[in-house]
Amino acid sequence: MYKIIFLFSIAFLISSMLWAQKEDDFFLTMRGDTLYGKIRLDSKSNTIIFWYQGDKLTFHASTIESFGIYKKGKYRTFKTIQNDEKKEVFVEVLTEGTLNLYRYDTTGDKRYNKEDNFRYFICEDDTVIMRVTPRSYKRVLKICLKDKPHLLARRIEYQDIPKIVEAYNDLTYLTGQ
């Protein structure tokens, strides 16, 4: 009887510790270590500030594989990619599947207008990543969705890209193509 109570108590403690970590931000280092704490993303310098066990640590995009920020009851996941200039940057993962779609925050990036808040990056795998701009998105989507052109049959706007890529991934998953 004591053994059952002891095992139940251990199981409860482990699950409560995991639950506590669930609401923490996290990041995955290039060595495969996952650390939990609080993260503040600095898009301008491509770094994150991480508070871990009372210490304040700064990490650059080249040293982190991915991280998640917990806010308003859900995670926003970010990863490091090489942009079109071969510079390592943090991007938010919007959807992954047959096509991966990432969002890059252009705030503070001198290459972009003040009105531009973000750019998309799209790819089949992370080796050939295409930048998607408000001027190029129709052409890029035609290339990426050539086997499902009906997704582009209606009028689309730049902000519709995540929905279209998600629909494409759902269709390719369901049809196995």
Side-chain angles (χ1 to χ4, degrees):
M1 178 70 169
Y2 290 112
K3 187 175 182 179
I4 293 173
I5 293 172
F6 177 73
L7 291 174
F8 179 74
S9 299
I10 288 178
F12 177 76
L13 286 173
I14 290 173
S15 65
S16 66
M17 287 187 320
L18 292 174
W19 181 259
Q21 284 184 343
K22 185 177 181 183
E23 294 183 2
D24 281 344
D25 301 338
F26 70 90
F27 79 89
L28 179 65
T29 66
M30 292 297 189
R31 294 186 308 179
D33 299 326
T34 302
L35 301 175
Y36 295 90
K38 282 293 170 199
I39 292 176
R40 190 187 67 161
L41 173 64
D42 184 354
S43 301
K44 191 174 185 176
S45 66
N46 246 341
T47 60
I48 63 169
I49 298 171
F50 183 65
W51 286 269
Y52 178 70
Q53 296 180 348
D55 293 328
K56 178 180 170 183
L57 308 166
T58 303
F59 294 94
H60 188 269
S62 62
T63 61
I64 296 173
E65 186 174 315
S66 64
F67 64 94
I69 297 177
Y70 187 81
K71 193 172 188 177
K72 296 182 182 175
K74 64 181 190 177
Y75 276 106
R76 291 176 53 206
T77 305
F78 296 80
K79 71 184 293 183
T80 300
I81 64 164
Q82 280 192 350
N83 65 9
D84 48 333
E85 296 178 344
K86 302 297 182 208
K87 179 181 170 187
E88 292 183 337
V89 295
F90 293 128
V91 291
E92 183 176 3
V93 177
L94 297 180
T95 187
E96 289 185 310
T98 305
L99 284 179
N100 300 328
L101 183 66
Y102 308 121
R103 186 176 122 138
Y104 174 64
D105 182 358
T106 61
T107 308
D109 193 326
K110 294 174 186 164
R111 296 180 301 149
Y112 300 98
N113 297 331
K114 288 182 181 179
E115 297 83 37
D116 295 337
N117 296 326
F118 62 91
R119 287 287 189 262
Y120 293 116
F121 286 99
I122 194 168
C123 59
E124 286 184 12
D125 57 33
D126 288 349
T127 56
V128 180
I129 298 174
M130 291 188 286
R131 182 173 51 127
V132 184
T133 68
R135 291 197 324 234
S136 71
Y137 74 96
K138 291 178 183 176
R139 181 178 47 81
V140 171
L141 287 177
K142 274 185 184 177
I143 293 167
C144 294
L145 308 177
K146 63 182 172 264
D147 59 333
K148 307 265 188 275
H150 65 280
L151 291 173
L152 302 174
R154 63 181 176 85
R155 183 181 166 146
I156 58 169
E157 301 296 327
Y158 186 64
Q159 61 270 15
D160 296 329
I161 294 172
K163 292 178 201 167
I164 292 168
V165 171
E166 204 167 305
Y168 177 82
N169 284 342
D170 290 345
L171 285 171
T172 55
Y173 177 76
L174 291 173
T175 61
Q177 298 175 0

